[in-house]
Amino acid sequence: MKPVILIPAYNPDENLIQVVDRLIALDIPHIIVVDDGSKPQCKEIFRQVQQKEQCHVLFHAVNSGKGRALKTGFNYFCLHFPDSPGVVTADADGQHQSADILKVIAALEENPERLIIGSRQWEGHIPFRSLFGNFLTRAIFSLLVGKKLSDTQSGLRGIPRSFIYRILTLKGERYEYEMNMLIETKVESVKILEIPIDTIYIENNKSSHFNPLVDSMKIYFLLFRFLFSSLFSALIDFIAFISIYKTTRNLLYAIIVARIVSGSVNFLVNKNIVFKDRNRFIPTLFKFVLLLVVRGIISYLLIERLSFFFGFTVTTLYLVVESTLFWASFALQRDFVFYHRQEE
């Protein structure tokens, strides 16, 4: 059985009917369309779509967001298409060419365990908000999640059946849900395959319901939760270090105690909340402690040597050294300590 097409639609125009007709012409056997609480004027469009044998139209009483519409479609897919390898999501406004949809379908059939992304080629006339927003999100995503993607906001995706069950309960009701889906590939060790597709913007992307301010803030807040634990533990570490060093004037002792206190918090939060690590506890703890010891030794040597040669205060040097080591520590935790080996 072929993958099922899923189209979330909010206040669509005649383009939706054309999209569906083109898919039917490609011998797509099943198309799920979710009416996400569209205005009454759109009823006729959905009625025409519903009359087509290949279409399954689901309805929301009120607008609930693209994330909720996708989850509604995923749930229907899981209940009614047990033999399908997965779902290919597409936009309702005709911005995805039929040839590109077919490429994503073929890629999903050949790679039934990978998330397929139809990655737009950033050529020609691109609306500035789309170009800048995607660039910024790609950069932040790569930094915090450790995966490089050329398009983090594409709505053309091939989602394997096994992964759908994992993302049905993900948080996010609007566009942040699609970013959450990408983050979950890191947690669940799902590989991503990018397929190049054409970039099409109809009337300068006027039909998009993406709110550049509200939806972008939700996406970036979702990404920055990966940093919260490290920043919080860094604050604990600094407070503990200053308190102990001011009392004892012993640099090595202050670093050791501060690292034990902050490391305990950092490990538990990162393992259970940030990275949602599923590896065995003891091996993961061993790697974390090893990183903690190495970082502590490097920090001590740098502070001790720099204070001796340049005469800077220990407090100032501690802030500079720890700020420098912070990003390296975060990357090592992301890609070594809490890394799911199954991804290999």
Side-chain angles (χ1 to χ4, degrees):
M1 185 177 179
K2 284 183 172 293
V4 173
I5 303 296
L6 170 58
I7 303 174
Y10 175 57
N11 293 338
D13 54 21
E14 297 292 333
N15 280 321
L16 174 60
I17 299 175
Q18 297 174 17
V19 169
V20 169
D21 287 338
R22 287 199 299 267
L23 291 173
I24 293 174
L26 295 173
D27 293 325
I28 302 298
H30 296 287
I31 304 167
I32 300 173
V33 177
V34 180
D35 171 12
D36 186 27
S38 300
K39 56 189 178 183
Q41 294 90 319
C42 298
K43 285 185 178 180
E44 177 59 24
I45 293 174
F46 287 108
R47 188 191 67 80
Q48 292 185 42
V49 171
Q50 197 170 21
Q51 287 180 337
K52 301 179 188 296
E53 181 182 356
Q54 295 87 346
C55 293
H56 311 259
V57 182
L58 312 176
F59 297 92
H60 285 171
V62 296
N63 177 241
S64 302
K66 186 178 182 181
R68 174 52 55 188
L70 288 171
K71 283 184 269 192
T72 295
F74 291 152
N75 185 71
Y76 186 87
F77 165 81
C78 291
L79 293 175
H80 294 87
F81 302 100
D83 298 323
S84 175
V87 166
V88 171
T89 61
D91 291 344
D93 53 10
Q95 293 194 29
H96 298 140
Q97 291 191 1
S98 300
D100 290 330
I101 295 176
L102 285 178
K103 285 197 295 185
V104 172
I105 290 175
L108 181 58
E109 290 176 327
E110 295 172 7
N111 304 272
E113 299 301 323
R114 293 191 178 195
L115 175 65
I116 313 298
I117 303 291
S119 297
R120 293 164 290 183
Q121 306 302 291
W122 303 102
E123 302 172 349
H125 176 67
I126 310 296
F128 177 75
R129 70 169 185 172
S130 299
L131 188 63
F132 178 75
N134 204 283
F135 170 79
L136 183 60
T137 306
R138 276 186 293 151
I140 296 175
F141 181 83
S142 176
L143 174 67
L144 301 185
V145 183
K147 288 191 175 189
K148 291 185 178 180
L149 297 178
S150 59
D151 190 353
T152 57
Q153 297 176 337
S154 173
L156 181 57
R157 300 182 178 187
I159 307 167
R161 182 179 197 85
S162 57
F163 191 49
I164 289 175
Y165 283 96
R166 305 178 207 176
I167 61 176
L168 262 174
T169 56
L170 281 182
K171 292 182 179 179
E173 301 299 292
R174 293 179 60 83
Y175 289 92
E176 74 273 15
Y177 177 72
E178 292 178 298
M179 180 58 68
N180 211 347
M181 187 189 302
L182 297 181
I183 293 174
E184 193 69 8
T185 63
K186 179 75 174 181
V187 176
E188 295 288 348
S189 300
V190 174
K191 291 185 177 181
I192 297 177
L193 176 62
E194 291 191 274
I195 304 295
I197 64 172
D198 290 333
T199 305
I200 301 174
Y201 286 105
I202 300 172
E203 296 182 359
N204 207 37
N205 209 24
K206 184 178 69 174
S207 63
S208 174
H209 300 288
F210 183 85
N211 186 306
L213 178 61
V214 176
D215 292 316
S216 294
M217 288 305 297
K218 288 184 178 181
I219 290 172
Y220 298 144
F221 177 78
L222 188 64
L223 288 172
F224 276 106
R225 75 180 175 88
F226 276 79
L227 277 183
F228 173 76
S229 172
S230 295
L231 291 172
F232 180 64
S233 64
L235 178 62
I236 294 176
D237 184 279
F238 179 70
I239 293 174
F241 173 82
I242 292 299
S243 301
I244 296 169
Y245 182 74
K246 291 292 185 182
T247 303
T248 65
R249 292 293 172 179
N250 187 315
L251 175 61
L252 181 60
Y253 179 71
I255 288 178
I256 291 174
V257 175
R259 203 51 45 83
I260 291 174
V261 173
S262 64
S264 300
V265 175
N266 192 226
F267 176 77
L268 292 174
V269 174
N270 279 358
K271 179 173 176 60
N272 298 309
I273 298 176
V274 178
F275 297 109
K276 300 179 182 178
D277 178 60
R278 291 174 174 79
N279 292 315
R280 290 182 297 171
F281 184 86
I282 298 301
T284 304
L285 179 62
F286 175 78
K287 290 188 290 184
F288 185 84
V289 172
L290 178 63
L291 173 61
L292 216 61
V293 171
V294 171
R295 180 180 173 182
I297 292 173
I298 294 174
S299 179
Y300 170 76
L301 292 176
L302 286 174
I303 294 172
E304 196 270 336
R305 290 292 89 189
L306 290 174
S307 63
F308 177 79
F309 285 112
F310 299 103
F312 294 119
T313 65
V314 169
T315 302
T316 301
L317 286 173
Y318 186 83
L319 281 173
V320 173
V321 169
E322 287 302 311
S323 297
T324 304
L325 294 177
F326 172 83
W327 291 106
S329 175
F330 177 82
L332 285 170
Q333 287 189 54
R334 183 194 65 201
D335 297 327
F336 172 67
V337 176
F338 300 106
Y339 181 71
H340 199 327
R341 287 296 166 191
Q342 186 179 346
E343 191 169 0
E344 291 295 319

